[in-house]
Amino acid sequence: MNAPIIDPLQGDFPEVIEEYLEHGAMKCIAFNRRGTLLAAGCSDGSCVIWDFETRGIAKELRDKDCAAAITSVCWSKYGHQILVSAADKSLTLWDVASGEKITRIILQQTPLQARLHPGSSMPSVCLACPLSSAPMIVDLSTGRTTALPVTVPDTGNGVAPPSRNKFPDGTPFTLTAACFNKNGDLVYVGNSKGEILIIDHKHIKMLAMIPISGGAVIKNIVFSRNGQYLLTNSNDRIIRIYENLLPLKDGLGAFDDINKTIEEEDTVEKMKAVGSKCLVLFREFQDLITKMHWKAPCFSGDGEWVIAASASKGEHKIYIWDRAGHLVKILEGPKEAVFDLAWHPVHPIIVSVSLTGLVYIWAKDYTENWSAFAPDFKELEENEEYVEREDEFDLVPETEKVKESDVNEDDEVDIVTVENDPFSDSDMSQEELCFLPAIPCPDVPEQQDKCVGSSSKLIDGNHSGSPLSEENGQNGPVANNASSPPEEDTGGTRVKRKRKPSEKGLELQAEKVRKPLKPLKSSGRLSKTKNKSVVDQDYGNGVYADDGSDDY
């Protein structure tokens, strides 16, 4: 990604906070497939869609029936739909272009995470991971739910062993995490016994099991975008990367060939044998010094980097590893906990959600080198001896300087064939939704723009409005008509535009200094005198009405 403009010695990963987004208290985020739109779930039950190119709000999805916090957001394959899960046990499917609600389903438990089927352009099923029950397949059209198996029976009678985890009242529960594979025909489930289960969700059949060393509870399980690697985050503070050995297109059909090569009859041993041919451990990541827990781990867009946030409440640290297992960078933000993380699908950009509800955008710190502006210019670190060529300063005719091109001009240029798109899959008929039309919003007076802030605002948060806006807000709008000269506002001090007084004005001003005016008893003369005193006062200040003449 961006190979021509990135120093290969520095790495293709973010370094500093470029800016931040602010709109209420945001809790979770998700990019669409191309990274042009960013969806964020808020604590008030709304879902905000940001145009990531302009950093502006493109649409806000708000359900009057939902006022609980959003727990997860998920885009459909081509971005036409978005699935939102909330703390009020609801799943809501939205049409992104129109902003209308398609369906809303109430579950028995609060869904901590919900994922749409990745293999369909208009999915009708989703995978939900409730708070204290097994993950389930939810039919969005009918509302029917089907629980998935989370443990391998120790014996062949099909009875699952009791769970080791219980609520304070003695009710058992199982902590699980689940995700689809790239094609969506298999579901990978991580349970509380430290096992990865591969399940055929259409027939609700367990196909394989991969045990994890230590048997710690699996908190997160995520596939890379290309489907070649699987990431797990366990309670033993270790992030593990597994390489997927199954084909990406038809992973379900490959199990028929695997079962033919395995002769074990026992259920558990056979599941383990099949699992060893599906996933193989590739790398392990951990902090050997602090032994910290990890939160919201994920892959980069190309799968070359792995990121995870520290689960400590008082710090905003993001760790970046390369796929070889080396820690290459630690990003330190404000003293706020991290709620969610996402890596941009195309660019080296990380987006993180803080405890206060702000979304921070981490980008690479590019340094402009204006000395190397010519294409054939080479910048030297130190002086070098230069040996000129023998014919360097010889006069060569212009015709000889032109080099012959190796391109055959008689060949036909192909302008019809479309190059392979790394984001395109088998379905090319579906048009992808990358941008939303902008809807202009009226400006609110005396209110600063709170949508996008620069990185400088992170250092100095005490910003006041401009003096002009404050003065207009207090005294009302100032009207400039013909009888009042224009005024300027420089740094909060009003400066009046002065004119050179005429001879008549100087005479009246001198007469006023020699003999001050006395009020008269008559009401009519008194009013005239007052008007004259006002005029004289304006003359004394050097301010005149612009009526086109200098005499009155």
Side-chain angles (χ1 to χ4, degrees):
M1 295 185 301
N2 303 326
I5 63 175
I6 292 178
D7 188 355
L9 300 179
Q10 294 182 0
D12 192 6
F13 50 81
E15 297 173 341
V16 295
I17 295 180
E18 184 181 58
E19 55 186 344
Y20 66 90
L21 308 178
E22 182 178 5
H23 184 82
M26 292 176 277
K27 299 297 182 183
C28 51
I29 50 176
F31 279 106
N32 65 340
R33 198 169 63 145
R34 294 185 181 269
T36 55
L37 298 175
L38 175 67
C42 302
S43 60
D44 60 352
S46 63
C47 179
V48 183
I49 300 178
W50 299 83
D51 189 324
F52 200 72
E53 302 295 331
T54 62
R55 306 294 198 268
I57 296 178
K59 192 175 291 292
E60 183 175 1
L61 307 176
R62 185 178 294 273
D63 188 4
K64 62 181 180 179
D65 299 330
C66 178
I70 302 299
T71 58
S72 69
V73 289
C74 179
W75 291 86
S76 63
K77 182 178 180 180
Y78 293 107
H80 293 278
Q81 298 175 351
I82 188 169
L83 180 65
V84 177
S85 64
D88 61 352
K89 306 178 183 180
S90 66
L91 291 176
T92 307
L93 185 64
W94 294 88
D95 184 85
V96 177
S98 63
E100 297 179 355
K101 181 172 58 176
I102 300 176
T103 183
R104 186 171 188 265
I105 299 173
I106 304 297
L107 303 179
Q108 298 294 327
Q109 299 285 342
T110 300
L112 298 180
Q113 190 181 51
R115 292 291 178 262
L116 288 171
H117 191 279
S120 175
S121 59
M122 303 296 287
S124 60
V125 298
C126 73
L127 174 65
C129 296
L131 176 62
S132 58
S133 61
M136 59 183 65
I137 297 295
V138 182
D139 191 337
L140 298 174
S141 58
T142 61
R144 182 174 175 268
T145 61
T146 305
L148 299 177
V150 294
T151 56
V152 179
D154 293 335
T155 59
N157 55 8
V159 178
S163 176
R164 297 178 297 175
N165 304 302
K166 294 184 178 182
F167 283 119
D169 59 356
T171 306
F173 71 96
T174 303
L175 297 174
T176 55
C179 68
F180 284 108
N181 64 343
K182 179 178 174 58
N183 197 34
D185 54 349
L186 297 173
V187 173
Y188 287 69
V189 176
N191 61 13
S192 60
K193 298 174 63 177
E195 299 169 344
I196 302 175
L197 310 179
I198 304 178
I199 300 172
D200 177 8
H201 64 87
K202 290 185 178 180
H203 302 91
I204 316 300
K205 181 181 179 182
M206 188 179 301
L207 302 176
M209 185 263 287
I210 301 94
I212 293 180
S213 59
V217 177
I218 298 178
K219 299 186 294 184
N220 304 97
I221 182 167
V222 183
F223 257 104
S224 62
R225 186 168 61 87
N226 55 13
Q228 296 180 356
Y229 296 94
L230 178 71
L231 178 149
T232 62
N233 177 27
S234 302
N235 225 16
D236 57 357
R237 303 175 176 87
I238 299 178
I239 296 176
R240 295 174 174 87
I241 306 297
Y242 291 85
E243 186 177 359
N244 184 21
L245 303 179
L246 297 176
L248 300 180
K249 292 296 183 181
D250 188 15
L252 183 60
F255 279 95
D256 296 335
D257 298 333
I258 295 176
N259 290 326
K260 294 178 181 178
T261 60
I262 297 176
E263 300 179 355
E264 285 83 354
E265 296 295 337
D266 184 70
T267 304
V268 178
E269 295 300 326
K270 184 176 182 180
M271 290 289 180
K272 292 181 179 180
V274 175
S276 62
K277 297 181 179 297
C278 299
L279 291 177
V280 59
L281 183 62
F282 184 73
R283 288 287 184 274
E284 290 185 353
F285 307 102
Q286 61 178 327
D287 193 334
L288 296 175
I289 300 175
T290 60
K291 296 290 184 179
M292 66 174 60
H293 287 276
W294 305 108
K295 194 171 186 180
C298 62
F299 288 95
S300 62
D302 56 356
E304 293 294 330
W305 310 96
V306 177
I307 61 173
S310 170
S312 300
K313 295 182 179 180
E315 59 184 9
H316 197 103
K317 287 187 178 180
I318 302 174
Y319 289 70
I320 304 177
W321 298 273
D322 60 6
R323 208 165 54 188
H326 303 99
L327 179 64
V328 296
K329 190 73 174 180
I330 300 178
L331 306 179
E332 296 189 17
K335 300 299 182 181
E336 304 169 359
V338 180
F339 267 13
D340 199 4
L341 279 179
W343 191 298
H344 194 279
V346 181
H347 303 295
I349 295 176
I350 293 176
V351 179
S352 62
V353 182
S354 68
L355 178 64
T356 58
L358 297 178
V359 173
Y360 294 99
I361 300 175
W362 301 78
K364 190 169 179 61
D365 188 14
Y366 295 104
T367 303
E368 297 289 349
N369 188 3
W370 298 104
S371 61
F373 55 88
D376 57 347
F377 185 85
K378 180 181 178 181
E379 186 178 10
L380 301 179
E381 298 293 338
E382 57 184 8
N383 293 333
E384 295 181 4
E385 183 180 359
Y386 178 72
V387 179
E388 67 178 54
R389 302 189 310 273
E390 182 179 356
D391 58 344
E392 184 172 0
F393 297 100
D394 294 346
L395 296 178
V396 181
E398 295 292 335
T399 56
E400 298 181 4
K401 290 183 179 180
V402 179
K403 297 181 180 180
E404 295 184 0
S405 177
D406 297 334
V407 179
N408 188 3
E409 298 180 356
D410 296 334
D411 292 343
E412 296 183 359
V413 179
D414 187 6
I415 61 174
V416 179
T417 305
V418 180
E419 295 182 356
N420 293 329
D421 189 355
F423 293 96
S424 64
D425 294 328
S426 58
D427 187 7
M428 292 294 294
S429 61
Q430 182 70 32
E431 183 179 357
E432 189 168 357
L433 179 66
C434 296
F435 298 97
L436 291 173
I439 301 176
C441 299
D443 294 335
V444 180
E446 299 181 7
Q447 183 177 359
Q448 295 179 352
D449 186 8
K450 295 183 180 181
C451 293
V452 180
S454 62
S455 59
S456 62
K457 293 183 181 179
L458 298 175
I459 303 175
D460 184 10
N462 298 325
H463 294 274
S464 59
S466 63
L468 181 61
S469 62
E470 292 179 358
E471 199 161 354
N472 288 342
Q474 296 173 0
N475 302 330
V478 180
N480 292 330
N481 48 27
S483 61
S484 62
E487 299 176 355
E488 298 177 356
D489 187 5
T490 58
T493 305
R494 289 194 175 275
V495 180
K496 296 185 177 182
R497 189 175 63 189
K498 297 183 178 181
R499 296 182 182 180
K500 183 179 180 181
S502 61
E503 296 179 0
K504 184 67 175 178
L506 294 174
E507 293 176 1
L508 293 174
Q509 183 177 357
E511 184 179 354
K512 176 184 176 182
V513 173
R514 291 194 303 268
K515 184 180 180 181
L517 296 175
K518 296 181 179 181
L520 300 179
K521 297 181 180 180
S522 175
S523 60
R525 294 178 60 85
L526 181 61
S527 63
K528 293 180 180 179
T529 306
K530 287 184 177 180
N531 292 336
K532 184 181 179 186
S533 65
V534 174
V535 175
D536 291 343
Q537 186 178 359
D538 290 340
Y539 278 122
N541 294 334
V543 181
Y544 303 92
D546 189 6
D547 58 349
S549 63
D550 294 334
D551 298 333
Y552 291 88

